[in-house]
Amino acid sequence: MVAAAALLATGCQNASAGFIGMPSMLGSVAKRISFGNFTLPPMAYTQFCMRYQDECKEERIVFRGGPVRLTEQRWADLKEVNNTVNSSISPEPNTEGLAAEKWLINPAQGDCNDYAVSKRSRLLARGWPARSLLLSEVVTSWGEHHLILVVRTSAGDLMLDNLTPQIRAWTRAPYRWVRMQTPRNPNYWAALGNRSVTG
């Protein structure tokens, strides 16, 4: 997504503070994100899939799908991956526009796209199902397009974001939601109706 020079200080950058605790009370707060009509994925996602084909494979759901049960171990996974990726990638905003987007996994330097796909890749490697790890495009309060990872759990849809060290319910993100991968197939994206949540 296009990153302006202002993001050097505020957008698509690393955050290193502590985490909130296990979300035992999120069931009533973190509702599920509802999908709209199918839409085209970001162009950079198509290029990403050409580079990382295994990351874009459709998952076969043999028994049951749906959100993943959020156990203490899975919560520890989320915290560790979020912290590790946020601290291992040095922020480097993309100031050259859409044509310069690369969406790289675990680069030394990168922007919000790289943080999001790196977190998703690490969680996939830990055995998390692809249906629960959805890349989502949002717009920040200062008007920049931004990529985050939404994790669908039994406690609700949670957000891993390089702009905050906290793992938050999607309803607590001050973003305008644009589009997101669908759980059945990561190559299908759905519009989110430009819904805004400021809770």
Side-chain angles (χ1 to χ4, degrees), residues 28 86 92 103 115 117 128 154 156 182 184:
S28 61
N86 280 355
E92 182 181 59
W103 290 34
Y115 287 92
V117 297
W128 284 68
S154 57
T182 59
R184 285 191 174 271

Side-chain angles (χ1 to χ4, degrees), residues 13-19 82 86 119 146 159-168 175:
Q13 57 187 328
N14 184 18
S16 59
F19 294 99
N82 196 54
N86 280 355
K119 290 174 187 181
H146 181 55
M159 189 185 73
L160 277 64
D161 185 353
N162 66 294
L163 296 183
T164 177
Q166 294 184 335
I167 298 171
R168 299 181 291 182
Y175 297 139

